[in-house]
Amino acid sequence: RFGLVGTPLPGVEVKIDPKNSEILVRGKTVMKGYYKKPEATAEVFTEDGYFRTGDAGVFEDNGELRITDRIKDLMKTAGGKYIAPQLIESMLLIDHYIEQVAVIGDQRKFVTALIVPSFVNLEGYAKAHGIAYSSREDLISRPEIIAFYQNRIDEDTKELARFEKVKRFTLLSKEFTVDAGELTPTFKTMRKVVNSRYKDLIESMYQE
């Protein structure tokens, strides 16, 4: 199915590490190790001979494998739960009212997000529902707009586990850009830059 890897081929064993959701592979198609590098080999193999792919994933109900993120990109909450930010972001970006999103959650009690609305669609929604506003900043501060996005976020991520769901979010009036260093040339989020630039906003989402 679209977005899935498929099922393991005959002779290939695939399992998911329960600790961090890493995809582990074992079989004759997998290398035996790095040439004359026993330490490096030991790092990428489990004690029972599975190769650590470096990818995080899950098996669907029908046995097909889905890659959710790179292990190095996983976030670990303060409660010790691993979350795949790119998976959460991809689920939200399908929504035509959302243009960009940056998920936050590493070493935090819960998941939050910075969201840039698709203003073309949002302004159309506001007009259709008689919501008056003077600027983008004014529009995204309206209680009815915030509630609108909360409902959409809840619906978009309803299949996620409770600890993966976005508990709080902040709408932004300006897009992340490559020129500002917030995106890579391939439009991936530069999390360190975003976390630094929006530090105060992020911290405000974690205030009780």
Side-chain angles (χ1 to χ4, degrees):
R1 291 184 296 163
F2 181 77
L4 303 182
V5 177
T7 56
L9 294 169
V12 179
E13 299 175 75
V14 181
K15 68 178 183 178
I16 307 298
D17 190 331
K19 294 180 180 179
N20 61 359
S21 300
E22 184 171 15
I23 300 169
L24 307 177
V25 181
R26 184 170 68 179
K28 293 183 178 180
T29 58
V30 180
M31 70 169 186
K32 293 182 179 180
Y34 294 110
Y35 183 62
K36 293 185 177 180
K37 294 183 178 180
E39 292 182 359
T41 298
E43 288 181 3
V44 297
F45 281 92
T46 64
E47 292 183 358
D48 52 354
Y50 279 85
F51 177 70
R52 300 183 181 278
T53 65
D55 289 317
V58 294
F59 276 110
E60 300 292 311
D61 292 339
N62 67 350
E64 289 188 89
L65 179 67
R66 180 191 298 275
I67 296 176
T68 57
D69 220 323
R70 287 292 293 169
I71 288 295
K72 65 183 180 65
D73 292 330
L74 290 182
M75 294 179 181
K76 189 176 183 181
T77 67
K81 297 288 189 179
Y82 284 93
I83 60 171
Q86 291 182 26
L87 171 63
I88 301 171
E89 290 166 354
S90 67
M91 296 175 79
L92 292 171
L93 287 171
I94 292 174
D95 194 308
H96 64 282
Y97 283 101
I98 296 176
E99 187 70 29
Q100 296 175 328
V101 57
V103 165
I104 296 101
D106 195 41
Q107 301 302 315
R108 301 283 191 171
K109 292 181 179 179
F110 50 84
V111 177
T112 62
L114 297 173
I115 293 176
V116 179
S118 171
F119 281 101
V120 171
N121 293 322
L122 179 57
E123 288 168 359
Y125 173 86
K127 182 178 180 180
H129 290 79
I131 301 173
Y133 61 94
S134 59
S135 64
R136 286 185 171 183
E137 289 80 4
D138 182 30
L139 178 59
I140 62 177
S141 68
R142 297 282 173 171
E144 57 267 49
I145 294 299
I146 295 173
F148 171 68
Y149 272 91
Q150 183 66 70
N151 290 334
R152 298 196 71 85
I153 291 168
D154 291 344
E155 179 62 25
D156 294 339
T157 60
K158 63 183 180 182
E159 296 182 2
L160 293 176
R162 185 176 180 181
F163 67 87
E164 295 174 303
K165 293 180 183 293
V166 176
K167 186 173 180 181
R168 295 177 184 171
F169 65 94
T170 297
L171 298 176
L172 303 178
S173 60
K174 295 182 180 179
E175 294 183 354
F176 301 132
T177 66
V178 175
D179 290 342
E182 298 155 340
L183 300 175
T184 69
T186 55
F187 301 103
K188 293 181 180 179
T189 304
M190 295 290 288
R191 298 190 188 280
K192 287 184 178 180
V193 175
V194 170
N195 287 342
S196 175
R197 189 154 295 162
Y198 295 93
K199 181 180 178 180
D200 292 341
L201 273 179
I202 292 171
E203 291 301 328
S204 70
M205 291 190 286
Y206 289 96
Q207 298 300 316
E208 297 297 335

